[in-house]
Structure formats: structure tokens, C-alpha cells
Amino acid sequence: LKDKTEDLKRERQLAEDLLHQMLPKSVAKQLRKCQKVEAENYDQVTIFFSDIVGFTSIAASCTPLQVVEMLNNLYICFDTRIESYDVYKVETIGDAYMVVSGLPERNGTRHADEIAQMSLDLVAAVRQVLVPHMPTGRLELRAGIHTGTGAEGRAGEKQSRAQPSSGRRKEFCTSKIHISSATYEALLTDDAYEIELRGEIEVKGKGKMKTYWLLGNKNYSVQN
């Protein structure tokens, strides 16, 4: 009986761990209690979005299994790295990787700093990811960050979604981190980052916006 009880505990823990990989812990807790999951508003969150430079061309020259292996190597690297930060991975779609801080767990004003540190880490880390079928090739990342209001809740019956209400994909540039004015202002508080003005660009649905490049952190350098 004791052995069976221990086996049951292990299986329950495995099921819970799997559930937490698919849903935020707060949402999973409500679902286990058969409660209705209400959408929740957040005053300020920061979101990170990235993709692989030339992914379409790379995928066209690979077999389906090679594409899966390449993305698996990349996302294992990313998933391991982001555990060091107060962030939540929203989803991956193909080569796109989306992470948010300040949601579903509020963290005061730290969300921009957490995402900024994480993004510098990921841009450095991607250079070390090996592509099995391209031994001399290296992946390059395009990344963008935006800070704004957000909402979290269930969309349909299968999975939750998080989305900053004013978030837009910016004009990315290879191996650079593009940030909005809102994120720039949020990062000014501690004066801990090296930031360069990019200037005004046309953003679909938003018109002209002043944006910046996040270049580094003044207090530390990312070690690969």
C-alpha cells in the first residue's frame, strides 16, 4: 500500500508539472478546482518577441526532422536560460519565441528589467546553438521588446493567452534588440543599460514611433 501511494504521488506530480508547462500556475489551480477562469487586467507588463533571421530559407534547405531538431536545440537553450529570470513563456510558433514579465504574476516595476536582462542573455546564447545539418552555420536572432498594459485569461477551451494591449511587432534588425519608447522609459529608472536612439520608424497600425536599440548592461556583460 505504501509503494502504491508513493507511485500515485509521483504520477500526480508528473501530471502537475506537465500542466504547469502548458498553463500558468494560477490558471491551472483554478481549473483543478473546477472554477471559472476570469480574464485579468494588468497595468504594466513587458513582452519579448524574437525570430530567426532567414528561417524560411534555412527550413527550405532542410528535411522536416532537421527543422525540428534545430528548433529543439534552440528552445532547450532558451528555456534553460529564462529560468533565471522572473518571466513566463507565452508560446512558440515555428521560429517565433514569445516571453512576458509582470504576467501572470505581478512583479511591480521589475518587468522591463527582467525582460531586458533576459533578452541580452538570449541574443548572446543563440550564437552558441549548434545546427546539426549546418556545422559551419550559426543562427542569428531578431528581437523586439515593448511595455504596455496587458490581459491574461483563457481564450477558448484549450489554452490561456497573454497579450499586451498595445504590443506590436517592430522592424527588427539582425542580432539587435529593438525596444519601444515605453520600454526605454521603464529602463531609465536605474540607468543600468546602454541604449541607443534608432529614431522614428513607421509601425503598422501605429504610425510613426520613436524607438531605440538595447545594446547592453552597464553593470555586467553576458558570458556565453
Side-chain angles (χ1 to χ4, degrees):
L1 182 60
K2 183 179 178 181
D3 291 341
K4 291 293 184 183
T5 301
E6 291 299 320
D7 289 342
L8 180 60
K9 286 181 179 179
R10 281 192 293 269
E11 291 298 324
R12 184 175 295 170
Q13 186 61 51
L14 287 172
E16 192 166 302
D17 292 342
L18 179 60
L19 184 61
H20 290 164
Q21 289 178 26
M22 297 185 293
L23 295 169
K25 290 184 179 180
S26 56
V27 173
K29 184 177 179 181
Q30 293 178 71
L31 291 176
R32 284 199 303 270
K33 293 181 178 180
C34 298
Q35 296 176 345
K36 182 180 179 182
V37 180
E38 299 288 349
E40 191 170 357
N41 290 318
Y42 294 78
D43 293 334
Q44 286 286 290
V45 300
T46 298
I47 194 167
F48 166 92
F49 183 90
S50 70
D51 64 12
I52 298 171
V53 177
F55 177 74
T56 302
S57 298
I58 294 172
S61 65
C62 306
T63 67
L65 285 178
Q66 286 174 331
V67 174
V68 171
E69 186 176 10
M70 176 181 66
L71 291 177
N72 187 53
N73 289 345
L74 178 67
Y75 292 151
I76 286 176
C77 172
F78 281 10
D79 291 348
T80 302
R81 294 274 182 145
I82 70 172
E83 288 179 359
S84 301
Y85 305 97
D86 184 11
V87 299
Y88 174 72
K89 184 174 83 171
V90 180
E91 64 183 346
T92 57
I93 303 176
D95 64 318
Y97 195 80
M98 186 176 177
V99 182
V100 67
S101 182
L103 180 159
E105 301 298 330
R106 291 179 172 82
N107 55 7
T109 59
R110 294 193 351 257
H111 47 87
D113 183 57
E114 293 289 334
I115 289 289
Q117 290 188 55
M118 180 209 73
S119 63
L120 290 168
D121 193 354
L122 297 190
V123 168
V126 73
R127 303 187 191 110
Q128 307 303 314
V129 177
L130 298 177
V131 184
H133 57 282
M134 297 171 56
T136 60
R138 286 291 182 271
L139 297 178
E140 293 181 291
L141 204 66
R142 295 183 296 191
I145 304 175
H146 180 60
T147 300
T149 56
E152 183 269 338
R154 293 185 72 192
E157 295 297 320
K158 297 298 182 182
Q159 192 169 2
S160 66
R161 283 292 179 266
Q163 178 66 45
S165 60
S166 51
R168 291 282 179 180
R169 183 174 177 175
K170 306 294 186 296
E171 294 295 328
F172 291 25
C173 189
T174 302
S175 299
K176 284 189 175 182
I177 302 167
H178 194 199
I179 66 174
S180 67
S181 294
T183 302
Y184 168 73
E185 292 172 5
L187 294 176
L188 282 180
T189 306
D190 297 328
D191 191 30
Y193 292 92
E194 298 173 13
I195 300 173
E196 178 183 285
L197 176 65
R198 179 181 183 179
E200 283 193 347
I201 65 167
E202 190 74 25
V203 179
K204 185 178 180 181
K206 289 291 185 178
K208 289 196 174 187
M209 294 180 66
K210 183 186 289 186
T211 61
Y212 301 80
W213 298 121
L214 175 63
L215 304 178
N217 189 295
K218 298 176 182 178
N219 301 321
Y220 74 94
S221 59
V222 176
Q223 299 298 318
N224 292 327

